[in-house]
Amino acid sequence: MARKLDPKAHVVTIEKISLARKHAQPPAHNFDRPGQQILVGVHARDDSSEQVTHWGQVDIDALETDMVWEELTSLAKALPGTAINRTSWKVTSGVPAAAEAINGALASLVRSQDPPSLSSLRRLVHRPLKEVDEVELATSAQEYAVYPETRPDIGAAQNDYSHYLIPGAMEGPNGTSLREETALRMGLEVLRLSRNTVAVSVPGEDVTLLFEQGRAPLMSHGATSLVADKGITRKILKRHRIPVAPGFTTSQTRLSNFKDKVSKLGFPLVVKPARGSKGEGITTGIEQWDDLEKAVGAAHDSRFRGNKIVVERHMQGEDYRFLCTQNSALSITRRQRASVLGNGHNSVLELITLHNVGRRKVPSCRGTLIHPNEEVRSWITSQGHDLNSIPRSGERVFLAGVNNVSQGGVGVEVLDETHPTLTALAIKSLRATGLNFGGVDMIIPNHRLPADEQAIAVTEVNTSPSLTGHFFPNFGPGRDVFAEFLRQHLARHDIDVPPMQEKLCVQVSIRGHVAGVGYGSWMAAAATELDVDGSIRVDDLGHRAEAILYGEARAVSTIVRRSIEGPPEASPAEVFTRRFATVPERGFSVIGH
């Protein structure tokens, strides 16, 4: 858009625009949509070619978010390359909140470059301007965009599971919730005893399956205890002629006590706590003695201190997790360590923020965002960059040394591409340990090639692997491992499962402190927000409530999940849910009020 500029005024040219959206405050009710704060950053160069950035902001109601964001996106696309000064800088828009945010940033920019305009600009800026911590924004932004928008030709966008992020489950469902929803959709009965403990039973059958976080009926307690020790697992696998990385287990803390063993192994090496998990205390790619000594110290100083450590040769290849039963592989993910891919335009910090926003849309890793802390900055520095560097197009900048998703890595589902001999090896490894179900980790150069054509190693057998990472991978098709897992449990009792339902009609019985605390009103508000029909009756004397819920399966199961919590003053002890035959009328009522 052409602008008439005062030739006597200081002129700046807008280079790019940053848009960010974050929560303004936490919701008061666990089914409320949180208020939003919109931030607009204007990046420009003045006559001295120095880059300057100024920010504007506006707080809005959650229901306005999509409209304001869409308008800001339209405005932001048109601004890069525009020259402005004190006589020509203001943006007009039919969406007042969008105009307020972007004009706040523009006014701050012009005022900083042209002090004589200070008094007039004060009248035009309606909200105090603020400094924005862009490092903090990397982990707080719910949405983020930079214009002009540049997307690399290589690489793919992460999977988007935003449709799972509904009121009552804005952080996404966890494993217990997905298992509960799956059971209800199968027509099974569910007793929820806590946020992470559910018992699933079959109507008319004397069969109950108890699940607590990653623990399940298929697991053997004895085998689970033994396999948790990586050193013992190595011995078991070697006896069954399953390939493992050359190495040894030691309880020594001084490198001098096992230096001869290291010399025989040779570098590069991997060091890890024998009973560690989630990649904690692990150091990979160790190339020299000084680094080995630091790695041994890190393993002993981790929260698994006091345990033995495993020292192995660093095998070449990629890290894979095979989610297996003794009969089949349910899912296979290739795990890649945390990194960002350069496009020649965005800084490392901007790329981290964009990656984290994508990560927020994958429920399995919303809680493991990449924080630009000292450790991450050290990795960036080791590759010749800093947070403000702009990596060239196609350049990958690594942000961690391990492939674990809990350390910021990503999972890529590759079951359909994996050679059957590798799947067979994973199942053999599980059987060797005595487990009925688990996660088998392998280092493999190429998952499409047969096992006997490459150097591979089984590195671990995980006794309580997360299922959510396979249901919600960052890349590739998600696998309904919760449904398959339940089917295999029930098959051991010769029980066939009917097709899963898309809608649920259930009766929910809540026991505990639910009277006189607004429990009925709480559930009514939740049902209204999620378009669920039904009713609830709270017994003021019997410490119980009975509800009927009908609606989309995800919405109904979210209310069931939250029923173990209820409003702040409630204290439910258990929630029992089963199928109900009669579909209620439209709407939701609190009986007795």
Side-chain angles (χ1 to χ4, degrees), residues 321-325 430 435-440 461-465:
R321 161 66 58 84
F322 290 69
L323 188 69
C324 297
T325 66
L430 190 76
L435 293 173
N436 294 308
F437 168 78
V440 179
V461 179
N462 193 298
T463 60
S464 56

Side-chain angles (χ1 to χ4, degrees), residues 188-208:
L188 305 176
E189 298 174 344
V190 179
L191 175 64
R192 181 179 274 268
L193 299 169
S194 71
R195 292 185 180 184
N196 295 306
T197 305
V198 295
V200 176
S201 55
V202 182
E205 300 282 350
D206 188 21
V207 175
T208 299

Side-chain angles (χ1 to χ4, degrees), residues 371-444:
H371 293 260
N373 53 26
E374 184 176 343
E375 183 178 356
V376 168
R377 293 186 197 206
S378 176
W379 270 99
I380 295 170
T381 301
S382 70
Q383 297 162 84
H385 289 293
D386 59 33
L387 289 177
N388 296 317
S389 298
I390 298 178
R392 65 182 182 276
S393 181
E395 179 184 2
R396 190 166 291 281
V397 180
F398 292 99
L399 308 172
V402 294
N403 298 330
N404 204 290
V405 174
S406 64
Q407 300 277 324
V410 298
V412 184
E413 169 59 48
V414 294
L415 175 65
D416 295 337
E417 308 168 2
T418 301
H419 199 278
T421 57
L422 296 171
T423 303
L425 180 61
I427 294 171
K428 179 181 179 181
S429 301
L430 190 76
R431 290 174 175 172
T433 61
L435 293 173
N436 294 308
F437 168 78
V440 179
D441 295 343
M442 284 197 251
I443 300 296
I444 307 171

Side-chain angles (χ1 to χ4, degrees), residues 16 18 39 41 43 51-55 131-141 144 146 347 349-350 352-353 372 377 387-388:
K16 62 182 178 182
S18 299
L39 299 170
H43 310 262
Q51 188 176 59
V52 293
T53 302
H54 289 263
W55 293 85
E131 293 294 325
V132 172
D133 183 347
E134 295 184 61
V135 173
E136 183 275 335
L137 193 63
T139 53
S140 64
Y144 184 73
V146 181
S347 69
L349 182 57
E350 289 172 338
I352 291 174
T353 308
R377 293 186 197 206
L387 289 177
N388 296 317

Side-chain angles (χ1 to χ4, degrees), residues 534-552:
S535 62
I536 182 170
R537 182 193 300 273
V538 179
D539 185 341
D540 292 337
L541 299 177
H543 300 288
R544 64 182 182 182
E546 298 285 340
I548 303 298
L549 302 174
Y550 173 71
E552 297 294 332

Side-chain angles (χ1 to χ4, degrees), residues 118-319:
L118 179 62
S119 60
S120 62
L121 286 171
R122 273 180 175 163
R123 293 193 299 270
L124 295 170
V125 180
H126 306 293
R127 182 172 292 276
L129 303 174
K130 60 174 285 185
E131 293 294 325
V132 172
D133 183 347
E134 295 184 61
V135 173
E136 183 275 335
L137 193 63
T139 53
S140 64
Q142 304 292 316
E143 293 286 352
Y144 184 73
V146 181
Y147 299 95
E149 191 174 28
T150 303
R151 295 192 180 277
D153 294 332
I154 51 181
Q158 295 184 70
N159 290 332
D160 186 346
Y161 298 102
S162 297
H163 53 288
Y164 279 89
L165 311 180
I166 62 176
M170 295 303 290
E171 295 301 311
N174 61 16
T176 304
S177 302
L178 289 168
R179 185 174 284 115
E180 181 177 53
E181 178 183 337
T182 300
L184 292 175
R185 291 178 61 193
M186 288 178 171
L188 305 176
E189 298 174 344
V190 179
L191 175 64
R192 181 179 274 268
L193 299 169
S194 71
R195 292 185 180 184
N196 295 306
T197 305
V198 295
V200 176
S201 55
V202 182
E205 300 282 350
D206 188 21
V207 175
T208 299
L209 308 172
L210 184 64
F211 300 90
E212 184 180 18
Q213 291 184 321
R215 299 178 181 89
L218 279 179
M219 297 176 182
S220 161
H221 177 73
T224 297
S225 179
L226 288 174
V227 175
D229 188 311
K230 295 177 176 61
I232 293 176
T233 302
R234 285 175 51 83
K235 293 179 180 179
I236 293 172
L237 295 176
K238 287 175 71 174
R239 284 188 60 83
H240 286 80
R241 297 183 180 179
I242 293 169
V244 298
F248 59 91
T249 304
T250 179
S251 58
Q252 299 293 331
T253 58
R254 293 184 179 181
L255 181 58
S256 58
N257 293 332
F258 53 87
K259 201 165 186 177
D260 289 345
K261 291 183 178 180
V262 171
S263 297
K264 291 179 181 178
L265 271 182
F267 293 100
L269 296 172
V270 174
V271 171
K272 51 192 173 184
R275 299 185 73 88
S277 65
K278 296 184 177 180
E280 294 183 37
I282 295 179
T283 305
T284 62
I286 303 165
E287 297 281 1
Q288 52 191 8
W289 291 104
D290 288 347
D291 291 336
L292 177 59
E293 191 165 10
K294 292 177 184 177
V296 171
H300 280 295
D301 291 342
S302 70
R303 66 187 177 98
F304 306 104
R305 63 174 61 89
N307 290 322
K308 298 178 181 180
I309 64 169
V310 175
V311 181
E312 295 177 336
R313 185 178 299 156
H314 186 111
M315 301 291 290
Q316 297 302 312
E318 296 192 81
D319 186 12

